[in-house]
Amino acid sequence: NVRGSAVSAISVMTLDENTDNTTVVGTATATDANLPGDTLTWSITSGNTGGAFAINSANGQITVANKTALDFETTPTFNLGVHVQDADGAADDAVIEINLNDLQATVSIDDATVTEGDTGTATLGHTITVNGDAVNTAFSVNYATADGTATAGSDYVAASTAANFAGTASETQAANITINGDTTVELDESLTVTLSSITGTNDVTILDGTGVGEITNDDSATLTIGDATVTEGNSGTTVLSFAVTLNNPVDANVSIDYVTQDGTATTADSDYVGVVIPETFTMNAGDTSGTIEITINGDLTVELDETLQLLLSNLQTGGRDINLVGTGTTGGGGSPGTFAIINAFGFYSGGT
């Protein structure tokens, strides 16, 4: 009779789940006490769930035949019934136990930062990384963007797609988000990229599923207050208009306080209507020009051209990068003001 169809050396074997097809698991051996050296024929008779394994009928070598059946979560142990028979029909049977190793991996997405740029597009480059075991099977991870302070369509191009992995250890895939450049002065903005469902394997889970994308604003603006000139008139009032301009749009309101100060024109002589308690000029979001208006009183007095000063303070930008510049000069041409207080001078001609 054929005896010892499976030797103890391979009666219990261990194998990683998802092991590739054709991988050799081991070789079953047997001895024929009656006819040593007789031809033996091997087969698997039971326990081969999903056709996971094949056996070489001539030499008893066991190989992986269907890697998708090697799923620890479904079948952690295979008890293969192995049958061996000699040329005379004598046969024996044995059970080979094959235990699967449970492979586990996680995926994570990192945070990323990019400078916005003034034109065209930039790439916000997130990386999705596999940590842990090589799971030996291809899988996909879905990801999608969501607004934070950045808005899809204007600040960036929304994305909802999948990253595909081969299942090797420490594998990475890019999750690139397109950022739209502009010259609008704004705060740094953010969005999120979130991982969701995994398809193709149950051996991978999401560890860190949210990546924060920071868009660094690289734009600034200059708020300029210009000189102004007006003819006084003989009666009634006229308006002395100081032009206020921004060289780039801003995504929020910008305001500045102002008062008037006598030069050679004085409120005591009723040359103009003074602003003693600070008033506020506001440039609305998106606007780039406006005016600050001072009322001038007309008269018939013969006099020289006169001047007054506009004093500015308390620039409010909401944290945006905005500088304040005054183009005003003293009567003979002095230096522009700096910092929070800038002297911008208005000139108006006396009547005749």
Side-chain angles (χ1 to χ4, degrees), residues 227-233 238 240 242 261-273 294-310 329-332 344-352:
D227 290 343
T229 302
V230 70
T231 300
E232 177 186 67
T238 55
L240 178 65
F242 291 88
Q261 179 173 287
D262 287 352
T264 53
T266 65
T267 55
D269 287 343
S270 298
D271 293 318
Y272 70 99
V273 178
I294 305 300
T295 300
I296 305 300
N297 296 317
D299 62 42
L300 294 174
T301 303
V302 178
E303 54 197 347
L304 298 176
D305 292 346
E306 297 175 306
T307 65
L308 60 89
Q309 293 178 318
L310 190 67
T329 59
T330 56
F345 291 82
F347 300 87
Y348 63 93
S349 301
T352 57

Side-chain angles (χ1 to χ4, degrees), residues 106-108 127-139 163-174:
T106 61
V107 290
S108 299
T127 301
I128 305 172
T129 303
V130 178
N131 304 290
D133 298 324
V135 295
N136 302 324
T137 189
F139 66 93
N164 300 313
F165 294 85
T168 58
S170 303
E171 192 176 356
T172 62
Q173 292 291 339

Side-chain angles (χ1 to χ4, degrees), residues 31-119:
T31 58
D32 190 337
N34 295 326
L35 295 171
D38 194 8
T39 298
L40 303 179
T41 302
W42 298 88
S43 62
I44 297 174
T45 58
S46 63
N48 195 17
T49 303
F53 301 99
I55 191 167
N56 188 305
S57 62
N59 61 22
Q61 186 181 76
I62 299 171
T63 56
V64 175
N66 179 16
K67 67 176 291 183
T68 61
L70 302 182
D71 181 11
F72 178 89
E73 285 71 24
T74 302
T75 311
T77 299
F78 291 81
N79 290 300
L80 290 185
V82 175
H83 179 80
V84 60
Q85 182 174 312
D86 66 14
D88 296 329
D92 203 354
D93 297 274
V95 174
I96 298 176
E97 180 180 313
I98 302 176
N99 295 310
L100 298 184
N101 293 323
D102 185 18
L103 301 180
Q104 290 294 319
T106 61
V107 290
S108 299
I109 186 169
D110 65 358
D111 298 333
T113 301
V114 68
T115 299
E116 176 184 67
D118 294 338
T119 60

Side-chain angles (χ1 to χ4, degrees), residues 325-349:
V325 174
T327 62
T329 59
T330 56
S335 300
T338 58
F339 304 105
I341 299 178
I342 299 175
N343 294 331
F345 291 82
F347 300 87
Y348 63 93
S349 301

Side-chain angles (χ1 to χ4, degrees), residues 253-339:
N253 291 353
V254 177
S255 68
I256 193 165
D257 294 344
Y258 65 91
V259 295
T260 56
Q261 179 173 287
D262 287 352
T264 53
T266 65
T267 55
D269 287 343
S270 298
D271 293 318
Y272 70 99
V273 178
V275 178
V276 179
I277 299 173
E279 295 186 6
T280 300
F281 167 83
T282 299
M283 186 86 77
N284 292 327
D287 290 347
T288 56
S289 63
T291 57
I292 295 174
E293 297 182 343
I294 305 300
T295 300
I296 305 300
N297 296 317
D299 62 42
L300 294 174
T301 303
V302 178
E303 54 197 347
L304 298 176
D305 292 346
E306 297 175 306
T307 65
L308 60 89
Q309 293 178 318
L310 190 67
L311 305 181
L312 307 172
S313 63
N314 193 31
L315 176 64
Q316 297 293 313
T317 67
R320 279 75 175 168
D321 185 6
I322 301 173
N323 299 309
L324 182 59
V325 174
T327 62
T329 59
T330 56
S335 300
T338 58
F339 304 105

Side-chain angles (χ1 to χ4, degrees), residues 183 185 219-223 246-250 320-324:
T183 56
V185 182
D219 301 305
S220 62
T222 299
L223 183 70
L246 279 168
N247 65 333
N248 281 322
V250 180
R320 279 75 175 168
D321 185 6
I322 301 173
N323 299 309
L324 182 59

